[in-house]
C-alpha cells in the first residue's frame, strides 16, 4: 500500500526524491574530496618510509611550512640518522589547471624510490641530463586528465618543463601532481632555499627519543614528530571537512523542509481516505506507521539517486580536473553509510509530524473533510484578496514553504554579505594608497610571489611617492584555538605608518610585532610581552585598532621577518603604491602593466574584486546558489501543485461562473508571487541570524564583518520571486487546463 500511495502521486514523489538527492549528492561529492585530501596526506607520509618529520610548527598546511634547506646538512651528520631528504610541496598553475600540486625533491632523495616510472626515465637518469629544458615527472592521473605523455612540455607558472617520465605511486593525491628537482620547485613556488619538511630515516627506531631531544634542543623553533602525528596535524583538512558539512547540511536542511512539506500535503490530500481507513478498523499507530514508511521510502530513494548523482559529479570532475587527486572509481563504504544515516534521519524527522497529524485524525471529522484549510473553522483575515486568504487558510503549509524559500534565500544572502564584507576589508587594509599590484596570471593570491626588484625599480619613478611590499601568511595558535593573520611591511614605508597605534610604539625593527586590539585580548597580551609564531618569538611593541576585523585578528612584523616565516626570501605577496599625484593613478596602472609582464596592477578600489580568490569564491557561491534554488524551487512547486489539487472543485466552480483561464492562471501565480515576496523577507531575517551565528565562532567569527547593501536585498527578493514564479508556473498552467465539469466531480 505504501508503494501504491507514492505511485498515485508520481509527480510530487519524484520532485521530493530529486530534492533530497541533490543534497545527498552534494555531501557525497564534497566528503570524497575532503577525505581524498586526508588520505593523500596520510599515504604520502606513510609511503615515505621515514621515521620522523621536521617541519615549521603550527603551519596552516604542509604547503605553507618553510624550513631552511641548509638544516638538512646538519641533520645528516647526526649519529642517529641513516638518511634524510627535504621535500617542498606547493601549488602551481598550469595551462589547464588553476591549482596543481608540485613536489620538489633532491635528485638523490631516498623518497624518489616510491615513484614508479611507467613511461620515460627518472629524474636522476643519465638520459634526463641530456634533455633540453628543465625535467619534470608527471603523475599518471595528471597525465591522463591533461592528455600528456613523456616528451611533452608542461608550463608551470611562467616556466616550461619537459616531461621526462610518467610515474605512479598508487596514491591519487601524488599521482595528480608533478615531481620536480628541488631547486626547480623552489623557483616555481617562490621559496628559494626552503623546504616544506625534512623526512628522516633513523638507523634504529629505538634511537628516536634521543634524536628528538637533540633536535628540539638545537632547533627549538621547529617541530619534529612521527609520520602519523604529522599527518593528523594538517589543519587545512579540518577546514575542508567543516566546509563540507556546512554546505551539505544546508542542502539537507532545505531538503528536509521540502520532505515535511510534501508529506503534510499528502496527509491533507488523503484526509478522507485516512478517515475511511480509521472507520474500517485501522488503529492510529498503523496510520502513523504507513505515513512514516512512505516518508522513509521517499528518503531512501532520494538517497540512492543522490549516490548516483554524487558518483556522476565525481566522475565528471575526475575527467576534467586533477583537483586534490580526485578519482571516480570508488565511493568509500563509510561515506555510503553516512549517506544512509542522513536519509533515514531525514525521513524520520520529515515524516514524523505529518504521520502524527494523520494518526490523530478522528474518523468522523476526516470523512467530513471537503478540502481547503480546515473546513468551516477557517478564519478570514480582515484585509487581503483571494491570494492572501488562500495562504492564510493553509497557514501550516504556507509557513513550511516560507521556510523553504527563506532558507534558500537566506543562505545565499549570508554568503554574499560575508564575501562583500571581505572585499571591502581587503580594500580598506591599504588605507589611501592608490594602486595595488599582485603577480599576474595566478589562480589564488597565496601563489603570488613577486620579486623585490620590481618594487625597487618602481620606487625610482618620479610619479611614485612610496612603494610598500607586503607579505601575507597565516598560522594557527593551537593553545588559544586562534587563527593568526600575519602581515609584513617595511617598517619605514608609508603603508605601515597608517596603523592606528593605541598603546605602545610603532614597528621599528626585526623581531618586533604590533598586534590588533582583538587579538591582544584573545591572547591576553600587553606591550612588552612576547608572542610565539611558528616557533619564532616576537616582542609586542604596540597594539593597534582598525576598522578592518581581519587586521585586528592578526599582527604586523617587518617585511624581512614575514618573508622568513613565509619561507619566501626577497619575495612579496603584493605591493601598495602611493602616488605624488593621485589623479595620475590610471595612467600609472597602465604603465606598470606594460613595464612588468609579471605584475598585475589595478586601482586600489578595484583590486579586491579583481583578485582571483574572490572570483573563485563567486563561482563557489553561484554553485551553492544553484543547488539551493533548485531544491527550494521543488518545495514551492510541490506546495503550489497541492494547492491546485486541493482546490480542484473550487476552480471548477469559478470556471462554471465564467472565470477565464487567464483569471485562474493569474490567481495561482499571484499566490506564488506572494509566497516569494514573503519568503524573501523571511530569508533576509534568516541571513541576519546566520551571520550572527557565524560571528559567535571563537576567533574566526571576529574576522568576518558582513556588508549589507540595497543591491543584495533587491537580489534576494528577486531570487525569492523567481522561486515563486518558477514554482507556480506549472501548477498555474495545470489549473487552467481543468475542465469545469471534471473539476466539479473531483473527490
Amino acid at each position: 500500500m505504501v508503494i501504491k500511495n507514492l505511485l498515485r502521486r508520481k509527480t510530487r514523489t519524484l520532485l521530493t526524491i530529486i530534492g533530497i538527492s541533490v543534497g545527498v549528492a552534494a555531501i557525497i561529492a564534497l566528503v570524497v574530496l575532503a577525505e581524498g585530501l586526508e588520505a593523500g596526506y596520510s599515504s604520502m607520509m606513510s609511503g615515505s618510509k621515514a621515521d620522523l618529520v621536521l617541519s615549521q610548527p603550527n603551519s596552516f598546511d604542509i604547503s605553507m611550512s618553510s624550513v631552511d634547506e641548509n638544516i638538512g646538512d646538519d641533520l645528516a651528520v647526526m649519529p642517529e640518522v641513516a638518511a634524510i631528504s627535504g621535500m617542498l610541496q606547493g601549488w602551481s598553475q598550469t595551462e589547464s589547471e588553476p591549482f596543481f600540486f608540485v613536489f620538489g625533491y633532491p635528485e638523490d632523495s631516498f623518497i624518489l624510490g616510491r615513484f614508479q616510472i611507467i613511461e620515460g626515465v627518472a629524474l636522476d637518469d643519465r638520459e634526463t641530463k641530456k634533455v633540453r629544458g628543465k625535467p619534470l615527472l608527471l603523475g599518471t592521473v595528471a597525465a591522463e586528465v591533461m592528455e600528456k605523455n613523456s616528451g611533452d612540455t608542461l608550463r608551470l607558472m611562467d616556466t616550461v618543463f619537459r616531461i621526462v617520465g610518467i610515474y605512479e605511486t598508487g596514491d591519487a593525491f601524488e599521482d595528480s601532481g608533478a615531481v620536480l628537482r628541488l631547486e626547480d620547485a623552489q623557483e616555481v613556488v617562490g621559496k628559494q632555499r626552503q623546504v616544506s619538511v625534512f623526512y628522516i630515516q633513523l638507523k634504529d627506531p629505538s634511537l628516536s627519543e634521543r634524536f628528538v631531544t637533540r633536535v628540539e634542543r638545537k632547533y627549538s623553533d621547529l617541530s619534529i614528530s612521527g609520520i602519523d602525528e604529522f599527518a593528523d596535524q594538517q589543519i587545512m583538512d579540518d577546514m575542508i571537512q567543516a566546509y563540507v558539512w556546512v554546505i551539505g547540511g544546508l542542502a539537507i536542511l532545505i531538503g528536509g523542509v521540502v520532505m515535511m512539506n510534501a508529506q503534510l500535503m499528502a496527509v491533507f490530500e488523503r484526509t478522507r481516505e485516512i478517515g475511511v481507513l480509521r472507520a474500517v478498523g485501522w488503529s492510529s499507530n498503523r496510520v502513523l506507521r504507513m505515513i512514516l514508511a512512505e516518508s522513509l521510502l521517499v528518503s531512501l530513494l532520494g538517497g540512492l539517486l543522490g549516490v548516483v548523482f554524487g558518483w556522476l559529479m565525481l566522475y565528471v570532475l575526475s575527467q576534467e580536473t586533477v583537483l586534490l587527486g580526485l578519482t571516480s572509481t570508488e565511493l568509500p563504504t563509510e561515506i555510503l553509510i553516512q549517506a544512509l544515516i542522513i536519509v533515514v534521519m531525514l525521513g524520520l524527522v520529515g515524516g514524523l509530524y505529518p504521520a502524527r497529524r494523520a494518526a490523530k485524525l478522528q474518523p468522523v471529522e476526516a470523512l467530513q473533510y471537503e478540502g481547503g484549510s480546515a473546513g468551516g473553522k477557517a478564519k478570514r483575515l480582515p484585509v487581503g484578496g483571494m491570494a492572501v486568504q488562500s495562504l492564510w487558510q493553509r497557514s501550516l503549509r504556507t509557513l513550511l514553504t516560507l521556510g523553504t524559500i527563506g532558507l534558500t534565500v537566506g543562505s545565499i544572502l549570508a554568503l554574499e554579505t560575508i564575501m562583500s564584507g571581505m572585499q571591502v576589508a581587503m580594500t580598506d587594509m591599504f588605507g589611501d594608497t592608490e594602486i595595488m599590484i599582485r603577480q599576474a596570471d595566478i589562480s589564488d593570491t597565496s601563489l603570488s610571489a613577486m620579486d623585490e626588484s620590481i618594487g625597487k625599480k618602481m620606487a625610482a619613478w618620479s610619479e611614485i611617492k612610496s612603494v610598500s611590499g607586503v607579505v601575507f601568511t597565516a598560522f594557527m595558535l593551537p593553545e588559544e584555538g586562534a587563527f593568526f593573520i600575519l602581515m609584513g611591511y617595511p617598517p619605514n614605508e608609508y603603508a605601515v605608518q597608517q596603523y592606528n597605534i593605541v598603546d605602545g610604539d610603532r614597528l621599528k625593527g626585526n623581531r618586533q610585532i604590533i598586534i590588533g586590539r582583538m587579538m591582544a585580548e584573545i591572547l591576553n597580551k600587553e606591550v612588552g610581552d612576547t608572542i610565539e609564531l611558528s616557533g619564532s618569538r616576537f616582542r609586542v611593541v604596540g597594539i593597534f585598532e582598525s576598522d578592518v576585523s581581519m587586521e585586528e585578528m592578526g599582527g604586523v612584523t617587518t617585511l624581512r621577518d614575514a618573508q622568513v616565516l613565509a619561507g619566501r626570501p626577497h619575495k612579496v605577496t603584493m605591493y601598495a603604491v602611493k602616488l605624488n599625484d593621485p589623479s595620475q593613478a590610471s595612467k600609472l596602472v597602465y604603465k606598470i602593466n606594460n613595464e612588468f609582464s609579471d605584475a598585475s596592477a589595478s586601482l586600489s578600489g578595484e583590486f579586491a574584486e579583481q583578485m582571483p580568490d574572490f572570483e573563485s569564491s563567486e563561482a563557489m557561491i553561484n554553485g551553492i546558489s544553484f543547488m539551493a534554488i533548485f531544491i527550494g524551487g521543488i518545495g514551492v512547486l510541490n506546495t503550489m501543485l497541492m494547492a491546485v489539487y486541493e482546490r480542484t472543485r473550487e476552480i471548477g466552480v469559478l470556471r462554471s461562473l465564467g472565470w477565464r483561464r487567464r483569471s485562474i492562471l493569474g490567481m495561482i501565480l499571484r499566490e506564488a508571487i506572494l509566497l516569494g515576496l514573503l519568503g524573501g523577507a523571511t530569508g533576509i531575517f534568516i541571513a541576519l541570524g546566520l551571520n550572527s551565528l557565524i560571528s559567535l565562532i571563537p576567533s574566526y567569527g571576529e574576522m568576518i564583518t558582513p556588508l549589507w547593501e540595497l543591491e543584495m536585498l533587491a537580489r534576494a527578493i528577486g531570487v525569492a520571486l523567481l522561486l515563486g514564479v518558477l514554482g507556480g508556473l506549472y501548477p498555474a498552467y495545470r489549473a487552467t487546463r481543468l475542465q469545469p465539469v471534471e473539476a466539479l466531480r473531483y473527490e
Side-chain angles (χ1 to χ4, degrees), residues 501 503-508 514 527 541-543:
I501 305 296
D503 190 9
D505 202 353
R506 294 192 175 277
L507 198 64
K508 293 181 179 178
I514 57 175
V527 173
V541 297
I543 295 174

Side-chain angles (χ1 to χ4, degrees), residues 477-526:
L477 303 177
E479 293 183 3
E480 295 81 7
F483 187 72
F484 193 97
I485 298 175
L486 181 70
M487 296 155 283
Y489 290 89
N492 299 318
E493 289 289 356
Y494 178 83
V496 77
Q497 302 301 318
Q498 299 180 86
Y499 282 89
N500 179 28
I501 305 296
V502 295
D503 190 9
D505 202 353
R506 294 192 175 277
L507 198 64
K508 293 181 179 178
N510 294 330
R511 291 294 175 173
Q512 295 180 352
I513 189 171
I514 57 175
I515 59 177
R517 171 68 73 185
M518 281 194 287
M519 183 54 70
E521 292 175 356
I522 291 173
L523 302 180
N524 194 26
K525 296 292 184 180
E526 298 178 349

